[in-house]
Amino acid sequence: MHPQPLPHSPSCAQVLMHLLQQYGVDTVFGIPGVHTIELYRGLPGSGLTHITPRHEQGAGFMADGYARASGKPGVCFLITGPGVTNAATAMAQAYSDSVPMLVISAVNRREDLGLGSGRLHELPRQQDVSRGFCIWQHALTSAGQLPDVLARAFQLMQSSRPGPVHIEIPIDLFPAPMPGALDDYRAAPAPALPAANGSAIATAAEWLRHAKNPVILLGGGAQSAGQAATELAEKLAAPVFLSLAAKGVVDERHPLCGGANLSFAAVRERVENADVVLAVASELAETDRNLVRDDYHFRGKLIRVDIDPAQLVCNATPDLAICADASASLAQLAAALPAGEAQRQQAVAMEISALISSCRREWWPGSEGRFPWVEALRAALPENGVLVTDSTQLAYNTNHALPLYQARSHLTCTTGYGTLGFALPAAIGAALSGSRPVIALIGDGGIMFTLGELAAAVEQQLSLPVLVWNNSGYGEIRDFMDEAEVPQEGVNLTTPDFVALAKSFGAAGCRIDLPQQLAPAVAEAFARKGPTLIEITAP
């Protein structure tokens, strides 16, 4: 017998839903199972919207997309065992890209844990599955721990380098009674983010004030710092270069923004020869440079700002390390510097324009044929639109050649962990997170990983264009095999009729083969209630 809550006494599951709502959660992603029946008893009346994916990996990717687009943690409900293992890839992608994700999973009854009794969904040590890609884990041993555990989870996701948090709740605790009434339970206050040390800001400002050719590098942790970064760049007349995770943090139309072009030789030379480089919330990693392996060699002074002290020495040792929030630090620096000189800004803007032009000449073979598609996609994406990309040929071109104008506009798995199948469910999560228009771009190979999530988009009636770049295989890997003179094995795929498949789900579908057909197709998709799969025949 499950212990039943006392009259007017909420269950652990009810308190969980209430507290999630108190922490600002409005949407959860998950698939109910026999072990989470009592968890779901707490859902009705909680104010939370539940979205049902078709696979737990899709739940994780949806939560990831929701978090990246909104800046709030994405939340998953998972069953014991296979629910956790199915979502592991999505959790690892979120960990690699520092995305806040709260994973609430069931685990077997406390009396059965560790006994190897052959219980349903049993893993010998379920927490070990996620230990390598979570910033924190906890297994409840009593219902009364729940408020403190959730408080710690949200503090970690909000005040340090974010990532997935995994909380296990034994199935016998979901119906366990909690003292008092629901209204007695309140969220812990959001933490004040760490500000930079005043003397460190003064030193950084002094170096930058006297710099002849400074450079600003922004990483994915600077999503809220765009305004301060732009003001600082204008005062310094300094070029701003973005990691792939930071696209749009500074409007890429700004004349001082050099975009996400850190992988190209001309930009590399400009950065390495700067007398002062300010690197903010960036790992300075291989994936920031689109798989260019060699680290930068900074010949001038390097100032690094990061909320995570471990990142301050990762991939490059700084001359000055500032462990603080990116937005606050850039605002402090901007306030400490005098107004910029218009003539100097114009000169640097001309230099950046020439650098961007030279980057295009460095593209690998085949890219020129895709540039018209990049330009067509830019024309089709609204100014405030969100582009969600998978690991596919066209996405590697949009990473650099498609400018974005706002933070949280570029959601991609081409960095970090680099999974496949991300874009469709992540775009669903992004679309559910707010009112901004969203476009998904995915390859014919990648979409087969999570094609079933098209049903969830139909169910939610999302006006979501899903662009499928169909090159009949794993085209990028095929090109690398050819370049390495390795025979093509395992990369040429039999592809289904994607348009017919989309229609079988209840979505709309069409096929195009010219760039000028893209904008009208996307406009029709945005006007339609429900998703539209647009298959692009790759040149």
Side-chain angles (χ1 to χ4, degrees):
M1 293 286 292
H2 292 300
Q4 295 300 312
L6 301 172
H8 310 297
S9 175
S11 69
C12 178
Q14 289 173 314
V15 171
L16 170 63
M17 304 301 175
H18 174 76
L19 280 172
L20 289 176
Q21 194 270 340
Q22 291 283 304
Y23 280 107
V25 176
D26 53 28
T27 305
V28 296
F29 304 91
I31 301 176
V34 66
H35 278 181
T36 54
I37 296 297
E38 291 298 327
L39 169 64
Y40 279 79
R41 191 189 295 277
L43 194 59
S46 67
L48 301 179
T49 299
H50 183 274
I51 306 298
T52 306
R54 298 312 190 256
H55 190 283
E56 285 91 358
Q57 187 178 93
F61 286 145
M62 288 180 193
D64 184 313
Y66 178 99
R68 294 191 202 216
S70 69
K72 302 192 302 182
V75 180
C76 294
F77 289 165
L78 303 178
I79 65 163
T80 322
V84 175
T85 55
N86 283 344
T89 295
M91 293 167 69
Q93 181 74 50
Y95 178 82
S96 181
D97 290 343
S98 301
V99 177
M101 179 189 295
L102 177 61
V103 175
I104 305 289
S105 81
V107 72
N108 290 84
R109 296 173 183 277
R110 288 171 292 173
E111 64 194 50
D112 294 328
L113 293 177
L115 293 180
S117 302
R119 299 292 182 182
L120 179 66
H121 300 328
E122 185 178 38
L123 284 171
R125 291 172 301 279
Q126 183 173 279
Q127 273 199 321
D128 287 355
V129 172
S130 59
R131 193 174 305 281
F133 45 78
C134 284
I135 60 172
W136 186 57
Q137 298 171 296
H138 186 82
L140 262 62
T141 56
S142 69
Q145 295 175 340
L146 179 65
D148 289 343
V149 169
L150 279 179
R152 183 170 175 182
F154 279 92
Q155 291 282 323
L156 283 169
M157 290 187 289
Q158 294 170 338
S159 65
S160 60
R161 187 183 185 187
V165 170
H166 180 198
I167 298 174
E168 290 184 337
I169 302 180
I171 56 178
D172 56 308
L173 288 183
F174 288 132
M178 299 279 282
L182 278 179
D183 288 343
D184 296 333
Y185 295 92
R186 291 285 183 268
L193 296 175
N197 174 275
S199 63
I201 289 292
T203 299
E206 184 71 10
W207 290 359
L208 290 166
R209 182 183 298 113
H210 295 290
K212 301 299 183 184
N213 60 336
V215 165
I216 299 172
L217 306 181
L218 297 181
Q223 296 295 335
S224 300
Q227 182 176 345
T230 302
E231 182 182 356
L232 182 61
E234 290 171 349
K235 286 189 170 185
L236 295 171
V240 179
F241 297 107
L242 311 170
S243 76
L244 297 183
K247 277 184 68 66
V249 167
V250 169
D251 187 334
E252 293 183 64
R253 295 170 295 189
H254 193 288
L256 294 177
C257 185
N261 291 303
L262 291 171
S263 57
F264 299 112
V267 171
R268 183 186 187 104
E269 182 180 359
R270 176 65 176 87
V271 173
E272 291 187 334
N273 289 323
D275 52 356
V276 179
V277 174
L278 174 63
V280 182
S282 171
E283 294 176 297
L284 301 178
E286 175 186 71
T287 48
D288 292 336
R289 301 185 298 272
N290 200 23
L291 304 187
V292 174
R293 181 171 175 80
D294 293 339
D295 289 337
Y296 274 22
H297 300 290
F298 299 98
R299 297 183 176 90
K301 288 185 171 68
L302 173 62
I303 305 167
R304 297 192 70 173
V305 179
D306 206 290
I307 202 168
D308 181 359
Q311 288 303 310
L312 289 170
V313 293
C314 185
N315 296 315
T317 301
D319 297 282
L320 177 63
I322 300 175
C323 188
D325 173 61
S327 183
S329 299
L330 286 173
Q332 288 174 271
L333 280 171
L337 291 166
E341 301 174 6
Q343 186 174 1
R344 188 178 173 192
Q345 289 178 14
Q346 292 169 3
V348 173
M350 291 177 62
E351 177 196 8
I352 291 171
S353 178
L355 280 174
I356 293 174
S357 296
S358 70
C359 289
R360 182 161 175 165
R361 293 194 293 271
E362 294 181 43
W363 280 101
W364 52 86
S367 294
E368 284 298 331
R370 293 189 287 272
F371 275 121
W373 287 101
V374 174
E375 293 164 358
L377 181 52
R378 177 59 271 176
L381 182 69
E383 283 206 2
N384 68 333
V386 178
L387 178 63
V388 186
T389 65
D390 216 89
S391 293
T392 189
Q393 278 183 326
L394 185 59
Y396 293 115
N397 294 106
T398 62
N399 276 346
H400 307 285
L402 188 147
L404 293 168
Y405 312 144
Q406 293 184 23
R408 303 194 181 282
S409 296
H410 189 234
L411 283 55
T412 183
C413 68
T414 60
T415 60
Y417 203 55
T419 186
L420 283 169
F422 167 87
L424 174 56
I428 292 170
L432 289 167
S433 75
S435 57
R436 295 173 66 185
V438 178
I439 293 178
L441 170 62
I442 192 167
D444 59 288
I447 197 172
M448 295 304 292
F449 281 55
T450 50
L451 180 64
E453 304 311 341
L454 197 60
V458 170
E459 205 163 68
Q460 298 302 315
Q461 290 292 281
L462 299 177
S463 299
L464 176 66
V466 180
L467 313 183
V468 178
W469 181 258
N470 189 351
N471 53 21
S472 299
Y474 300 125
E476 194 73 10
I477 307 306
R478 189 165 53 207
D479 289 349
F480 282 138
M481 281 184 166
D482 289 347
E483 183 181 340
E485 299 182 349
V486 173
Q488 292 183 7
E489 288 290 344
V491 291
N492 297 303
L493 305 177
T494 299
T495 56
D497 184 332
F498 287 110
V499 173
L501 265 177
K503 292 178 178 178
S504 74
F505 277 102
C510 65
R511 187 174 291 107
I512 63 175
D513 52 17
L514 296 173
Q516 56 265 37
Q517 297 171 318
L518 182 59
V522 168
E524 289 181 19
F526 280 134
R528 184 178 291 118
K529 199 172 183 180
T532 303
L533 188 149
I534 302 170
E535 182 181 350
I536 300 172
T537 305

